[in-house]
Amino acid sequence: MLSFNELKIFYGKKTKSNSVPVKIALLTDSSTQLLAQAITGFGVFNDCDYELWQADYNQIDLQIYDNNSALYKFKPDYIIVLRSSEHLLNTFYKTGVNVRENFAAVEINRFENLIQTISANTTCKIITNTYPEINDAVFGNYAAKVVASFIYQIRKLNLSIMDLAQQHENLLLLDMASLVAEKGYCHSFDSKLYVTADMVYNLEILPVIAQNIHSIIQAAESRFKKCLIVDLDNTLWGGVIGDDGLEGIQIGNLGIGKAFSEFQLWIKELKQRGIIIAVCSKNTEAVAKEPFEKHPDMELRLDDIALFVANWESKADNIKHIQQILQIGFDSMVFLDDNIFEREMVRKAIPEVTIPDLPEDPVDYLMYLRTLNLFETASFINEDEGRTKQYQEEAKRVVFQKTFEAESDFLKNLEMVSEISSFNSFSIPRIAQLCQRSNQFNLRTQRYTETELKQLTENNDYFTLSFSLADKFGNHGLIAAIILKKENKNTLFIENWIMSCRVLTRGMEQFSLHAITQLACKNKFSMLKGEYLPTTKNGLVKDHYLKLGFNYIEGFWQMNLNESNFINQTYIQPK
Amino acid sequence: MEQKEILLQLNQIFSDILDNTSIVITEISRAKDIEEWDSLNNIQLVVAIEKHFKIKFTTLEIQNWKNVGEMCHSIQKRLQK
């Protein structure tokens, strides 16, 4: 972790890339100049441009309730509202003793009003904090048993804030309560700074807060980790399976096996949350797989692993192979290996992969990785769990494909079926997630929230199409979404076209276009109009419309439907 | 530790925190003499000095410093304790 002073030096510098800055408005009830420096500095360090606007001191309500305020004029992408336990405690003390039992309820009401006002004025995302817990020692430990105590009310308020975030999709939480619990209140707060400058965060915790705000924003901007690649010997278990044998490796009750068992349980949790787990090990495959199949104390089993790569080739090459099958960016991968030499080799070959320097002692792995907070996310739906199975199926497809010489023979034998549908209440959460996750096959990179998608389906000027794909090896689920907007009575504009990269080169693009033309003809449109808006990540679809036969006219791609006589020439059957 | 030695170490802290290697402080230097030494940077300076010498100042003590010399004096006094 960088120190505050190092962040401040980055704060004075510029990012290398010329991406559009993310606009952040910072509203707080304490002094924030140093926090603003830390957030901007952390962005520069990670080559992300943050344009920060700070409200004057303690102006949260003023800025939010005035719909002509500087806050709304700034047009932020994110509004960060930070409120401190110290100020909350002051408010609490000034609250009549007889109404303190309702303190949290009153506070959450006030806050919900703020959130609703922001949502009425702008569609931006809001980040707010949970409160670090302070026991003011008025009741001692007994406070936890007294409803009218501060600790009781602050905990209740924290729970209410979390509940509120369930109802407001655009409300994200910076969990200060956990962050301060991890570091300790005495290492996060400095009375001297509080009294003289009204700063509630000390210099030690500022970089931690900046890191977490950065992670939350990056996740909301669809930049997050999707895959964890792990080494085996001395990473997933103690010892070397090739030398020590099945009975000799440390896992479960043997030696320091407990450290590895708990580490594996954590990885299994990540898998259940939707992180793809892959193995990359220098081993003979059969030997490496043995513990997963036979060792009674292994928590991870073969069906938890999406891709199992064990051979004697270089790890960098193997990770490139994993990337080709998964079709995700290297920057969404984390690689864990106990061997510093292997880490360096991979780092040199593929610098985009995140490679933590694991502590020397395996008992420290888990604590260390937790503090790195590598797996921040901005959404969660249960379907995430099925992802491992999908990638296992994909690995089988790759093997199947090798049995055909011609691509077309492979596609013909895949027995692909696609279901076309307009957006509905079942598909909208999945489509919203696809909007968040897709960076490469995304023609205009418009990100829609669930609420926005729902509004589209109710708007007569919009048409929507979603596509699922299944084949003989399994079901990909919902893999593409297209949003079409009536521009005038002749022209149908393709407002966005997104597709999962897992189904590239299957003919899905042509199949989808066929569905668009059918929809357009049915609704008497004669012209399709598409647009490609380049980002740093969507170079893949630069020539998408060209390949589909559109003509480039004045910045847009157009296709005249009178001329085109389109039939489904793909190997995909509509369901 | 001698005042001279303390001043030398302080100079290093000042250049680090204020990100300016050409800074030379003397006992009579005051905040208004050094451009980068504003109230925000002062917060960082105090934290860095406390950490470096493994001491803690009181807030009133900090308030009363009129120049670097008095700062050094505070440090020396605390190091002797």
Side-chain angles (χ1 to χ4, degrees), chain A residues 484-523:
Chain A
L484 303 155
K485 189 187 181 189
K486 178 181 177 178
E487 195 167 278
N488 54 48
K489 72 178 182 26
N490 297 322
T491 310
L492 188 60
F493 178 62
I494 305 171
E495 187 170 287
N496 208 15
W497 185 334
I498 49 178
M499 197 174 89
S500 162
C501 286
R502 284 181 285 134
V503 297
L504 278 177
T505 69
R506 300 280 172 80
M508 206 50 224
E509 297 91 322
Q510 290 78 6
F511 182 82
S512 311
L513 177 62
H514 180 59
I516 299 175
T517 52
Q518 281 189 323
L519 183 144
C521 289
K522 210 173 104 190
N523 290 283

Tab-separated table of all heavy atoms in Angstrom, chain A residues 484-523:
chain	number	residue	atom	x	y	z
A	484	LEU	N	-32.699	-0.932	-29.918
A	484	LEU	CA	-32.968	-0.226	-31.168
A	484	LEU	C	-33.884	0.955	-30.887
A	484	LEU	O	-34.823	0.843	-30.100
A	484	LEU	CB	-33.662	-1.167	-32.152
A	484	LEU	CG	-32.880	-2.451	-32.472
A	484	LEU	CD1	-33.814	-3.541	-32.899
A	484	LEU	CD2	-31.816	-2.182	-33.516
A	485	LYS	N	-33.582	2.077	-31.553
A	485	LYS	CA	-34.387	3.264	-31.311
A	485	LYS	C	-34.916	3.796	-32.642
A	485	LYS	O	-34.173	3.922	-33.611
A	485	LYS	CB	-33.542	4.345	-30.633
A	485	LYS	CG	-34.373	5.509	-30.159
A	485	LYS	CD	-33.515	6.646	-29.638
A	485	LYS	CE	-34.422	7.764	-29.159
A	485	LYS	NZ	-33.687	8.959	-28.840
A	486	LYS	N	-36.208	4.092	-32.648
A	486	LYS	CA	-36.816	4.675	-33.838
A	486	LYS	C	-36.284	6.088	-34.010
A	486	LYS	O	-36.486	6.944	-33.149
A	486	LYS	CB	-38.336	4.701	-33.633
A	486	LYS	CG	-39.104	5.322	-34.766
A	486	LYS	CD	-40.592	5.309	-34.427
A	486	LYS	CE	-41.370	6.000	-35.538
A	486	LYS	NZ	-42.814	5.953	-35.256
A	487	GLU	N	-35.547	6.341	-35.110
A	487	GLU	CA	-35.012	7.684	-35.308
A	487	GLU	C	-36.032	8.541	-36.060
A	487	GLU	O	-36.266	9.685	-35.730
A	487	GLU	CB	-33.692	7.624	-36.060
A	487	GLU	CG	-32.917	8.903	-35.980
A	487	GLU	CD	-31.491	8.728	-36.463
A	487	GLU	OE1	-30.667	8.258	-35.653
A	487	GLU	OE2	-31.213	9.022	-37.634
A	488	ASN	N	-36.604	7.966	-37.080
A	488	ASN	CA	-37.756	8.564	-37.747
A	488	ASN	C	-38.539	7.423	-38.369
A	488	ASN	O	-38.209	6.263	-38.144
A	488	ASN	CB	-37.329	9.619	-38.779
A	488	ASN	CG	-36.331	9.046	-39.769
A	488	ASN	OD1	-36.559	7.955	-40.319
A	488	ASN	ND2	-35.228	9.738	-39.964
A	489	LYS	N	-39.534	7.697	-39.185
A	489	LYS	CA	-40.394	6.588	-39.594
A	489	LYS	C	-39.676	5.598	-40.530
A	489	LYS	O	-40.096	4.459	-40.668
A	489	LYS	CB	-41.715	7.095	-40.198
A	489	LYS	CG	-41.643	7.728	-41.577
A	489	LYS	CD	-43.073	8.095	-41.970
A	489	LYS	CE	-43.281	8.702	-43.326
A	489	LYS	NZ	-42.432	8.488	-44.415
A	490	ASN	N	-38.573	6.043	-41.102
A	490	ASN	CA	-37.828	5.138	-41.987
A	490	ASN	C	-36.643	4.463	-41.308
A	490	ASN	O	-36.269	3.354	-41.656
A	490	ASN	CB	-37.294	5.908	-43.207
A	490	ASN	CG	-38.427	6.454	-44.031
A	490	ASN	OD1	-39.450	5.781	-44.184
A	490	ASN	ND2	-38.269	7.671	-44.530
A	491	THR	N	-36.027	5.173	-40.366
A	491	THR	CA	-34.724	4.744	-39.868
A	491	THR	C	-34.789	4.171	-38.449
A	491	THR	O	-35.364	4.784	-37.550
A	491	THR	CB	-33.722	5.924	-39.884
A	491	THR	OG1	-33.774	6.524	-41.152
A	491	THR	CG2	-32.315	5.452	-39.591
A	492	LEU	N	-34.170	3.012	-38.322
A	492	LEU	CA	-34.061	2.377	-37.015
A	492	LEU	C	-32.593	2.440	-36.599
A	492	LEU	O	-31.715	1.922	-37.304
A	492	LEU	CB	-34.546	0.925	-37.115
A	492	LEU	CG	-34.689	0.151	-35.821
A	492	LEU	CD1	-35.683	0.829	-34.874
A	492	LEU	CD2	-35.150	-1.275	-36.106
A	493	PHE	N	-32.332	3.098	-35.454
A	493	PHE	CA	-30.951	3.295	-35.003
A	493	PHE	C	-30.561	2.204	-33.980
A	493	PHE	O	-31.336	1.916	-33.065
A	493	PHE	CB	-30.814	4.682	-34.371
A	493	PHE	CG	-29.436	4.969	-33.828
A	493	PHE	CD1	-28.335	4.990	-34.683
A	493	PHE	CD2	-29.250	5.216	-32.477
A	493	PHE	CE1	-27.058	5.253	-34.188
A	493	PHE	CE2	-27.968	5.472	-31.977
A	493	PHE	CZ	-26.878	5.497	-32.837
A	494	ILE	N	-29.396	1.624	-34.170
A	494	ILE	CA	-28.930	0.594	-33.234
A	494	ILE	C	-28.215	1.311	-32.082
A	494	ILE	O	-27.046	1.663	-32.182
A	494	ILE	CB	-27.989	-0.414	-33.928
A	494	ILE	CG1	-28.695	-1.011	-35.156
A	494	ILE	CG2	-27.567	-1.518	-32.953
A	494	ILE	CD1	-27.799	-1.848	-36.043
A	495	GLU	N	-28.961	1.565	-31.015
A	495	GLU	CA	-28.417	2.373	-29.924
A	495	GLU	C	-27.302	1.640	-29.196
A	495	GLU	O	-26.330	2.238	-28.746
A	495	GLU	CB	-29.515	2.777	-28.949
A	495	GLU	CG	-29.018	3.751	-27.910
A	495	GLU	CD	-30.132	4.350	-27.075
A	495	GLU	OE1	-30.874	5.194	-27.597
A	495	GLU	OE2	-30.265	3.963	-25.900
A	496	ASN	N	-27.444	0.357	-29.039
A	496	ASN	CA	-26.290	-0.417	-28.572
A	496	ASN	C	-26.434	-1.873	-28.972
A	496	ASN	O	-27.534	-2.387	-29.145
A	496	ASN	CB	-26.088	-0.308	-27.063
A	496	ASN	CG	-24.614	-0.478	-26.680
A	496	ASN	OD1	-23.736	-0.393	-27.544
A	496	ASN	ND2	-24.346	-0.751	-25.432
A	497	TRP	N	-25.279	-2.501	-29.130
A	497	TRP	CA	-25.223	-3.915	-29.508
A	497	TRP	C	-24.108	-4.517	-28.666
A	497	TRP	O	-22.954	-4.129	-28.793
A	497	TRP	CB	-24.912	-4.022	-31.010
A	497	TRP	CG	-24.949	-5.418	-31.561
A	497	TRP	CD1	-24.733	-6.591	-30.901
A	497	TRP	CD2	-25.220	-5.781	-32.926
A	497	TRP	NE1	-24.867	-7.654	-31.754
A	497	TRP	CE2	-25.168	-7.187	-33.009
A	497	TRP	CE3	-25.510	-5.053	-34.094
A	497	TRP	CZ2	-25.374	-7.884	-34.196
A	497	TRP	CZ3	-25.711	-5.756	-35.272
A	497	TRP	CH2	-25.658	-7.159	-35.330
A	498	ILE	N	-24.482	-5.382	-27.757
A	498	ILE	CA	-23.450	-5.998	-26.921
A	498	ILE	C	-23.558	-7.509	-27.002
A	498	ILE	O	-24.645	-8.071	-27.186
A	498	ILE	CB	-23.554	-5.569	-25.437
A	498	ILE	CG1	-24.977	-5.727	-24.927
A	498	ILE	CG2	-23.067	-4.174	-25.237
A	498	ILE	CD1	-25.144	-5.380	-23.479
A	499	MET	N	-22.422	-8.150	-26.892
A	499	MET	CA	-22.419	-9.603	-26.953
A	499	MET	C	-21.297	-10.126	-26.062
A	499	MET	O	-20.272	-9.482	-25.895
A	499	MET	CB	-22.197	-10.043	-28.403
A	499	MET	CG	-22.558	-11.477	-28.685
A	499	MET	SD	-22.431	-11.827	-30.460
A	499	MET	CE	-20.721	-12.317	-30.550
A	500	SER	N	-21.543	-11.285	-25.510
A	500	SER	CA	-20.506	-11.917	-24.706
A	500	SER	C	-19.433	-12.470	-25.637
A	500	SER	O	-19.744	-13.079	-26.659
A	500	SER	CB	-21.130	-13.042	-23.878
A	500	SER	OG	-20.107	-13.892	-23.429
A	501	CYS	N	-18.157	-12.259	-25.285
A	501	CYS	CA	-17.079	-12.710	-26.157
A	501	CYS	C	-16.951	-14.228	-26.196
A	501	CYS	O	-16.242	-14.770	-27.028
A	501	CYS	CB	-15.753	-12.099	-25.718
A	501	CYS	SG	-15.665	-10.385	-26.159
A	502	ARG	N	-17.646	-14.895	-25.287
A	502	ARG	CA	-17.572	-16.358	-25.265
A	502	ARG	C	-18.145	-16.979	-26.540
A	502	ARG	O	-17.864	-18.112	-26.861
A	502	ARG	CB	-18.342	-16.900	-24.056
A	502	ARG	CG	-17.612	-16.747	-22.753
A	502	ARG	CD	-18.419	-17.330	-21.632
A	502	ARG	NE	-19.531	-16.461	-21.280
A	502	ARG	CZ	-20.767	-16.871	-21.084
A	502	ARG	NH1	-21.080	-18.132	-21.237
A	502	ARG	NH2	-21.705	-16.020	-20.737
A	503	VAL	N	-19.028	-16.245	-27.243
A	503	VAL	CA	-19.689	-16.849	-28.401
A	503	VAL	C	-19.233	-16.221	-29.725
A	503	VAL	O	-19.917	-16.315	-30.737
A	503	VAL	CB	-21.229	-16.766	-28.280
A	503	VAL	CG1	-21.695	-17.568	-27.085
A	503	VAL	CG2	-21.692	-15.323	-28.154
A	504	LEU	N	-18.037	-15.606	-29.689
A	504	LEU	CA	-17.482	-15.056	-30.925
A	504	LEU	C	-17.292	-16.182	-31.949
A	504	LEU	O	-17.105	-17.329	-31.573
A	504	LEU	CB	-16.119	-14.422	-30.638
A	504	LEU	CG	-16.105	-13.008	-30.073
A	504	LEU	CD1	-14.667	-12.599	-29.799
A	504	LEU	CD2	-16.739	-12.033	-31.036
A	505	THR	N	-17.292	-15.805	-33.198
A	505	THR	CA	-17.022	-16.722	-34.319
A	505	THR	C	-17.987	-17.908	-34.415
A	505	THR	O	-17.639	-18.948	-34.932
A	505	THR	CB	-15.566	-17.295	-34.301
A	505	THR	OG1	-15.454	-18.181	-33.189
A	505	THR	CG2	-14.533	-16.207	-34.212
A	506	ARG	N	-19.185	-17.736	-33.909
A	506	ARG	CA	-20.188	-18.793	-34.061
A	506	ARG	C	-21.242	-18.406	-35.103
A	506	ARG	O	-22.159	-19.163	-35.347
A	506	ARG	CB	-20.926	-19.014	-32.734
A	506	ARG	CG	-20.053	-19.421	-31.590
A	506	ARG	CD	-19.733	-20.897	-31.666
A	506	ARG	NE	-18.751	-21.225	-30.667
A	506	ARG	CZ	-19.045	-21.423	-29.391
A	506	ARG	NH1	-20.290	-21.360	-28.987
A	506	ARG	NH2	-18.101	-21.695	-28.530
A	507	GLY	N	-21.147	-17.165	-35.615
A	507	GLY	CA	-22.178	-16.694	-36.532
A	507	GLY	C	-23.289	-15.943	-35.814
A	507	GLY	O	-24.312	-15.603	-36.399
A	508	MET	N	-23.059	-15.686	-34.528
A	508	MET	CA	-24.077	-15.016	-33.729
A	508	MET	C	-24.332	-13.583	-34.233
A	508	MET	O	-25.460	-13.089	-34.177
A	508	MET	CB	-23.595	-15.003	-32.277
A	508	MET	CG	-24.672	-14.943	-31.222
A	508	MET	SD	-25.996	-16.130	-31.382
A	508	MET	CE	-27.387	-15.051	-31.042
A	509	GLU	N	-23.280	-12.916	-34.761
A	509	GLU	CA	-23.439	-11.554	-35.262
A	509	GLU	C	-24.427	-11.540	-36.427
A	509	GLU	O	-25.356	-10.726	-36.473
A	509	GLU	CB	-22.079	-10.995	-35.738
A	509	GLU	CG	-21.026	-10.867	-34.659
A	509	GLU	CD	-20.147	-12.108	-34.529
A	509	GLU	OE1	-20.684	-13.237	-34.664
A	509	GLU	OE2	-18.944	-11.963	-34.290
A	510	GLN	N	-24.211	-12.461	-37.389
A	510	GLN	CA	-25.082	-12.527	-38.568
A	510	GLN	C	-26.497	-12.931	-38.160
A	510	GLN	O	-27.478	-12.398	-38.672
A	510	GLN	CB	-24.528	-13.545	-39.579
A	510	GLN	CG	-23.237	-13.109	-40.273
A	510	GLN	CD	-22.002	-13.276	-39.398
A	510	GLN	OE1	-22.081	-13.823	-38.296
A	510	GLN	NE2	-20.873	-12.792	-39.875
A	511	PHE	N	-26.565	-13.878	-37.229
A	511	PHE	CA	-27.877	-14.346	-36.767
A	511	PHE	C	-28.651	-13.188	-36.113
A	511	PHE	O	-29.841	-13.006	-36.362
A	511	PHE	CB	-27.691	-15.495	-35.764
A	511	PHE	CG	-28.979	-16.066	-35.263
A	511	PHE	CD1	-29.680	-16.998	-36.002
A	511	PHE	CD2	-29.500	-15.677	-34.030
A	511	PHE	CE1	-30.883	-17.525	-35.541
A	511	PHE	CE2	-30.693	-16.186	-33.560
A	511	PHE	CZ	-31.381	-17.127	-34.319
A	512	SER	N	-27.950	-12.388	-35.317
A	512	SER	CA	-28.591	-11.257	-34.646
A	512	SER	C	-29.046	-10.216	-35.662
A	512	SER	O	-30.129	-9.656	-35.556
A	512	SER	CB	-27.632	-10.586	-33.663
A	512	SER	OG	-27.035	-11.529	-32.843
A	513	LEU	N	-28.182	-9.969	-36.669
A	513	LEU	CA	-28.541	-8.990	-37.694
A	513	LEU	C	-29.821	-9.445	-38.401
A	513	LEU	O	-30.710	-8.640	-38.687
A	513	LEU	CB	-27.394	-8.826	-38.707
A	513	LEU	CG	-27.708	-7.881	-39.868
A	513	LEU	CD1	-27.986	-6.470	-39.364
A	513	LEU	CD2	-26.586	-7.859	-40.889
A	514	HIS	N	-29.896	-10.736	-38.643
A	514	HIS	CA	-31.090	-11.297	-39.279
A	514	HIS	C	-32.335	-10.981	-38.429
A	514	HIS	O	-33.372	-10.584	-38.967
A	514	HIS	CB	-30.899	-12.807	-39.430
A	514	HIS	CG	-32.053	-13.491	-40.079
A	514	HIS	ND1	-32.488	-13.168	-41.343
A	514	HIS	CD2	-32.871	-14.470	-39.639
A	514	HIS	CE1	-33.525	-13.917	-41.648
A	514	HIS	NE2	-33.787	-14.721	-40.636
A	515	ALA	N	-32.199	-11.121	-37.128
A	515	ALA	CA	-33.326	-10.820	-36.237
A	515	ALA	C	-33.679	-9.332	-36.284
A	515	ALA	O	-34.851	-8.961	-36.267
A	515	ALA	CB	-32.987	-11.244	-34.811
A	516	ILE	N	-32.634	-8.490	-36.369
A	516	ILE	CA	-32.894	-7.038	-36.447
A	516	ILE	C	-33.649	-6.711	-37.738
A	516	ILE	O	-34.636	-5.977	-37.718
A	516	ILE	CB	-31.578	-6.219	-36.417
A	516	ILE	CG1	-30.812	-6.458	-35.126
A	516	ILE	CG2	-31.876	-4.725	-36.562
A	516	ILE	CD1	-29.463	-5.767	-35.087
A	517	THR	N	-33.184	-7.255	-38.857
A	517	THR	CA	-33.828	-6.926	-40.133
A	517	THR	C	-35.277	-7.403	-40.139
A	517	THR	O	-36.159	-6.715	-40.639
A	517	THR	CB	-33.078	-7.555	-41.328
A	517	THR	OG1	-32.915	-8.947	-41.077
A	517	THR	CG2	-31.730	-6.935	-41.527
A	518	GLN	N	-35.532	-8.556	-39.558
A	518	GLN	CA	-36.915	-9.042	-39.479
A	518	GLN	C	-37.785	-8.078	-38.681
A	518	GLN	O	-38.890	-7.741	-39.091
A	518	GLN	CB	-36.937	-10.434	-38.856
A	518	GLN	CG	-36.545	-11.517	-39.861
A	518	GLN	CD	-36.788	-12.905	-39.308
A	518	GLN	OE1	-36.583	-13.132	-38.126
A	518	GLN	NE2	-37.224	-13.804	-40.163
A	519	LEU	N	-37.242	-7.660	-37.534
A	519	LEU	CA	-37.988	-6.726	-36.687
A	519	LEU	C	-38.225	-5.409	-37.430
A	519	LEU	O	-39.311	-4.839	-37.380
A	519	LEU	CB	-37.215	-6.500	-35.391
A	519	LEU	CG	-37.850	-5.607	-34.323
A	519	LEU	CD1	-37.520	-6.148	-32.940
A	519	LEU	CD2	-37.396	-4.158	-34.413
A	520	ALA	N	-37.172	-4.940	-38.120
A	520	ALA	CA	-37.266	-3.661	-38.829
A	520	ALA	C	-38.313	-3.741	-39.939
A	520	ALA	O	-39.135	-2.831	-40.091
A	520	ALA	CB	-35.895	-3.284	-39.393
A	521	CYS	N	-38.294	-4.824	-40.702
A	521	CYS	CA	-39.256	-4.968	-41.796
A	521	CYS	C	-40.682	-5.025	-41.257
A	521	CYS	O	-41.597	-4.400	-41.800
A	521	CYS	CB	-38.949	-6.220	-42.610
A	521	CYS	SG	-37.451	-6.053	-43.573
A	522	LYS	N	-40.845	-5.779	-40.181
A	522	LYS	CA	-42.183	-5.920	-39.595
A	522	LYS	C	-42.733	-4.560	-39.168
A	522	LYS	O	-43.931	-4.314	-39.241
A	522	LYS	CB	-42.096	-6.857	-38.375
A	522	LYS	CG	-43.380	-7.647	-38.136
A	522	LYS	CD	-43.183	-8.676	-37.037
A	522	LYS	CE	-43.830	-8.217	-35.756
A	522	LYS	NZ	-43.471	-9.045	-34.604
A	523	ASN	N	-41.840	-3.669	-38.727
A	523	ASN	CA	-42.283	-2.359	-38.265
A	523	ASN	C	-42.099	-1.281	-39.328
A	523	ASN	O	-42.030	-0.091	-39.009
A	523	ASN	CB	-41.540	-1.997	-36.974
A	523	ASN	CG	-41.996	-2.853	-35.806
A	523	ASN	OD1	-43.054	-2.646	-35.246
A	523	ASN	ND2	-41.184	-3.865	-35.468
